[in-house]
């Protein structure tokens, strides 16, 4: 049974997965790349930045000092022996004592990404602040969510949290029994008990906004810059795009928490309760945020859209951008009114012309480092429309030798023709994949009526 908003995703059901299972998925994918290594029992101790070199893309202007430990075999223990080994990224110092090897390492890098959460060490090292407030919700609301393996997760609000020396609630005084007693109080006159506890934690609701953000939005842009396929200036759009979204999400989360903490309305005259209509509206908005459809990016060098004038003091949101950050391209929203510029691409079911199989469009928009050019070809059973499509393909083929991206003042060659035909960037250096969607009856057009550029043909697989 579907529990998501129809039309926003190819996945009809939203599910909750334990963090361990999500990490297993990440690890499985990471293990496919032999040049990527995960180091555990390692912590950073300091970070140094050569400010005069950060603008030069080819320099490793950042030095991160690390400290780590690793257990060794007893027969290989060496006491109080230091050694230094070099590697391209920096230097490593080893020490082995009492069966545990400790080491210090300095890694030099072009970029460092801080993905270390709300209490980010990276953010503190760089002097970035978290602006906002924290709250302790009043007791009275409980949320119960069925989980995998016959587990049930219970979210329970706690009151009377004692603040610590830093002003934050002292979570060290909270025990599983504290949580159970609070839940039992909320559930009265019903009883709540358990015999097995898989996991528990306590967290405090905080509405903070950092000066910088860690997200997928940064990942693909940074990859393009490192590969030399985009200028470092596109990294500035990370903040201008995500800062506005962070503010919107914080405001919504505050309202959503209020709704969960409030009692339902007794009747239409009740001025203090929450109506189910209001709660349903917020629930739909929460799904839009979770799926990405609640995010709308404003005009910048990557998103060519008209300004709506709705911008905040920082220039974020869907309003005007700085002239230096505006795309040189132009867009015509009316040509694809349901594909909103600056919003996630919607996924609808389409029929594959070659084999009549049904697919969601999103299945063909893989996150593999390539851009996707989607050609809405219209009714290609009409001769005039097919002529327009062929002219488009001819123009694209004529531009396949170079692309309008520059690196150090030179045109960057790229085999776009092969990339358009479905090969990966890894195989040929391409940066884009072309997907054609038309509205003509399938039986009215032969597949070979389309120009070769639009056919995903493989010499070995057909």
């Amino acid at each position: 049974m579907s529990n998501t908003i129809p039309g926003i995703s190819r996945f009809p059901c939203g599910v909750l997965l334990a963090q361990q299972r999500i990490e297993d998925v990440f690890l499985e994918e990471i293990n496919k790349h032999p040049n990527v290594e995960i180091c555990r029992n390692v912590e950073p101790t300091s970070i140094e930045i050569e400010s005069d070199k950060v603008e030069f893309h080819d320099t490793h202007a950042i030095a991160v000092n690390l400290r780590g430990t690793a257990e060794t075999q007893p027969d290989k223990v060496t006491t109080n022996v230091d050694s230094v080994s070099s590697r391209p990224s920096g230097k490593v110092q080893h020490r082995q004592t009492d069966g545990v090897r400790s080491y210090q390492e300095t890694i030099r890098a072009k970029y460092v990404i801080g993905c270390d959460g709300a209490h980010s060490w990276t953010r503190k090292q760089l002097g970035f602040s978290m602006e906002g407030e924290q709250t302790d919700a009043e007791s009275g609301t409980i949320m119960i969510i069925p989980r995998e393996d016959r587990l049930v997760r219970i979210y329970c609000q706690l009151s009377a949290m004692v603040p610590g020396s830093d002003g934050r609630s002292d979570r060290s005084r909270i025990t599983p029994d504290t949580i159970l007693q609070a839940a039992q109080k909320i559930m009265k006159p019903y009883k709540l008990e358990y015999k097995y506890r898989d996991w528990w934690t306590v967290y405090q609701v905080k509405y903070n906004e950092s000066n910088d953000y860690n997200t997928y939005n940064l990942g693909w842009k940074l990859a393009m810059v490192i590969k030399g396929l985009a200028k470092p200036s596109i990294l500035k759009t990370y903040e201008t795009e995500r800062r506005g979204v962070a503010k919107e999400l914080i405001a919504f989360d505050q309202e959503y928490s209020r709704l969960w903490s409030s009692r339902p309305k007794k009747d239409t005259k009740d001025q203090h309760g929450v109506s189910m209509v209001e709660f349903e509206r917020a629930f739909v908005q929460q799904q839009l945020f979770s799926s990405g459809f609640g995010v709308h990016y404003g005009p910048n060098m990557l998103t060519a859209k008209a300004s709506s004038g709705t911008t905040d003091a920082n220039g974020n949101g869907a309003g005007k951008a700085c002239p230096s950050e505006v795309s040189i391209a132009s867009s015509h929203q009316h040509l694809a009114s349901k594909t909103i510029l600056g919003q996630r691409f919607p996924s609808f079911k389409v029929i594959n012309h070659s084999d009549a199989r049904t697919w969601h469009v999103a299945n063909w928009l893989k996150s593999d480092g390539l851009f996707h050019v989607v050609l809405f070809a219209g009714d290609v059973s009409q001769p005039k429309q097919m002529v327009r499509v062929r002219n488009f393909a001819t123009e694209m083929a004529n531009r396949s030798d170079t692309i309008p991206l520059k690196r150090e003042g030179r045109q960057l060659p790229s085999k776009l023709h092969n990339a358009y035909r479905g090969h990966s960037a890894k195989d040929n250096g391409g940066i884009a994949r072309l997907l054609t969607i038309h509205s003509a009856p399938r039986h009215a057009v032969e597949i070979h009526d389309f120009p070769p550029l639009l056919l995903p043909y493989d010499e070995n697989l057909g």
Side-chain angles (χ1 to χ4, degrees):
M1 181 177 66
S2 174
N3 63 358
T4 60
I5 302 174
I8 67 173
S9 173
R10 66 188 188 276
F11 303 111
C13 297
V15 297
L16 292 174
L17 292 178
Q19 181 175 331
Q20 180 180 353
R21 294 188 64 183
I22 295 175
E23 289 180 354
D24 287 342
V25 174
F26 288 157
L27 291 173
E28 181 179 348
E29 182 62 28
I30 290 173
N31 289 335
K32 297 178 183 178
H33 304 276
N35 60 327
V36 179
E37 178 185 0
I38 296 180
C39 298
R40 303 187 184 276
N41 298 323
V42 179
E43 64 177 352
T45 57
S46 63
I47 184 170
E48 302 167 7
I49 302 176
E50 298 182 62
S51 303
D52 57 332
K53 297 181 179 180
V54 294
E55 297 297 329
F56 299 97
H57 175 68
D58 292 331
T59 62
H60 295 72
I62 307 174
V64 181
N65 298 311
L66 306 175
R67 177 176 58 223
T69 60
E71 292 185 1
T72 62
Q73 297 296 328
D75 58 346
K76 296 183 179 180
V77 174
T78 304
T79 304
N80 296 330
V81 175
D82 291 338
S83 64
V84 178
S85 60
S86 61
R87 51 188 273 182
S89 59
K91 60 181 181 179
V92 184
Q93 293 183 340
H94 298 279
R95 177 185 294 274
Q96 296 183 155
T97 306
D98 297 331
V100 177
R101 185 188 68 170
S102 63
Y103 64 91
Q104 294 181 343
E105 180 177 7
T106 299
I107 296 179
R108 301 202 65 87
K110 295 180 181 179
Y111 298 94
V112 172
I113 304 176
C115 300
D116 41 357
H119 303 285
S120 171
W121 175 91
T122 309
R123 187 186 70 247
K124 294 175 182 177
Q125 288 286 310
L126 299 178
F128 296 150
S129 61
M130 289 286 280
E131 303 166 0
E133 59 185 22
Q134 61 189 39
T135 64
D136 288 318
E138 295 181 0
S139 177
T141 302
I142 191 170
M143 181 165 61
I144 301 175
I145 302 177
R147 297 295 301 266
E148 71 283 356
D149 298 329
R150 301 171 66 182
L151 296 174
V152 176
R153 173 168 292 185
I154 296 178
Y155 289 93
C156 175
Q157 292 178 337
L158 299 177
S159 60
M161 296 278 283
V162 180
S165 59
D166 59 355
R168 293 176 49 83
S169 296
D170 187 357
R171 292 181 293 181
S172 65
R173 302 188 183 186
I174 304 299
T175 67
D177 286 339
T178 307
I179 301 173
L180 178 61
Q181 292 170 9
Q184 290 172 332
K185 181 179 178 181
I186 295 172
M187 292 292 291
K188 284 184 177 180
Y190 302 98
K191 294 183 179 180
L192 176 64
E193 296 178 348
Y194 68 84
K195 294 185 177 180
Y196 169 77
R197 181 183 68 249
D198 187 76
W199 174 85
W200 73 280
T201 189
V202 179
Y203 67 91
Q204 189 171 36
V205 179
K206 298 188 68 177
Y207 303 113
N208 286 339
E209 177 190 339
S210 173
N211 293 333
D212 286 76
Y213 321 91
N214 302 312
T215 182
Y216 176 87
N217 180 286
L218 175 63
W220 73 264
K221 295 173 182 176
L222 191 57
M224 295 291 290
V225 172
I226 291 174
K227 292 178 180 179
L229 297 175
K231 297 178 180 179
S233 56
I234 72 167
L235 300 178
K236 296 179 180 179
T237 64
Y238 174 44
E239 180 175 359
T240 58
E241 288 181 343
R242 297 305 301 182
R243 187 178 181 89
V245 174
K247 290 183 175 181
E248 293 175 6
L249 185 57
I250 288 173
F252 169 76
D253 197 44
Q254 289 176 323
E255 174 64 12
Y256 202 46
S257 296
R258 182 191 68 81
L259 295 176
W260 274 103
S261 303
S262 303
R263 62 172 176 80
K265 274 193 172 185
K266 297 179 180 179
D267 50 45
T268 56
K269 297 181 180 180
D270 188 347
Q271 300 296 319
H272 301 288
V274 176
S275 70
M276 289 299 100
V277 174
E278 184 181 11
F279 194 91
E280 182 180 6
R281 174 195 58 77
F283 188 76
V284 170
Q285 185 62 35
Q286 184 270 337
Q287 287 198 336
L288 291 174
F289 270 117
S290 298
S291 65
F293 277 91
V295 174
H296 297 263
Y297 293 148
N300 56 37
M301 64 179 69
L302 298 176
T303 305
K305 62 185 294 186
S307 171
S308 67
T310 56
T311 181
D312 60 25
N314 298 306
N316 304 308
K320 296 181 179 179
C322 298
S324 61
E325 297 182 359
V326 176
S327 170
I328 60 175
S330 60
S331 297
H332 304 280
Q333 179 67 78
H334 68 280
L335 296 177
S337 59
K338 295 184 178 181
T339 304
I340 307 301
L341 295 167
Q343 185 180 348
R344 178 180 172 183
F345 199 95
S347 182
F348 294 95
K349 286 186 176 181
V350 294
I351 298 175
N352 190 357
H353 193 103
S354 63
D355 61 11
R357 293 177 62 189
T358 301
W359 295 86
H360 259 283
V361 173
N363 284 105
W364 297 97
L365 303 177
K366 296 181 179 180
S367 179
D368 57 1
L370 293 180
F371 286 103
H372 292 86
V373 179
V374 181
L375 170 62
F376 293 104
D379 186 357
V380 291
S381 65
Q382 301 297 320
K384 289 185 178 180
Q385 186 65 14
M386 181 59 84
V387 170
R388 296 180 66 189
V389 171
R390 288 171 178 165
N391 290 340
F392 167 83
T394 299
E395 183 67 19
M396 294 297 288
N398 290 337
R399 298 188 180 190
S400 64
D401 292 336
T402 59
I403 56 177
L405 292 177
K406 295 182 178 180
R407 183 179 181 186
E408 298 178 356
R410 302 190 302 270
Q411 289 284 71
L412 181 66
S414 177
K415 300 177 182 177
L416 282 180
H417 186 78
N418 286 335
Y420 287 147
R421 293 175 64 176
H423 298 281
S424 69
K426 181 179 179 181
D427 296 333
N428 51 54
I431 66 163
R433 181 182 289 112
L434 180 59
L435 178 67
T436 304
I437 301 176
H438 69 83
S439 59
R442 177 172 172 269
H443 59 79
V445 183
E446 290 290 339
I447 189 169
H448 290 290
D449 291 342
F450 291 94
L453 184 67
L454 307 186
L455 299 179
Y457 178 76
D458 186 278
E459 293 180 355
N460 297 318
L461 302 177

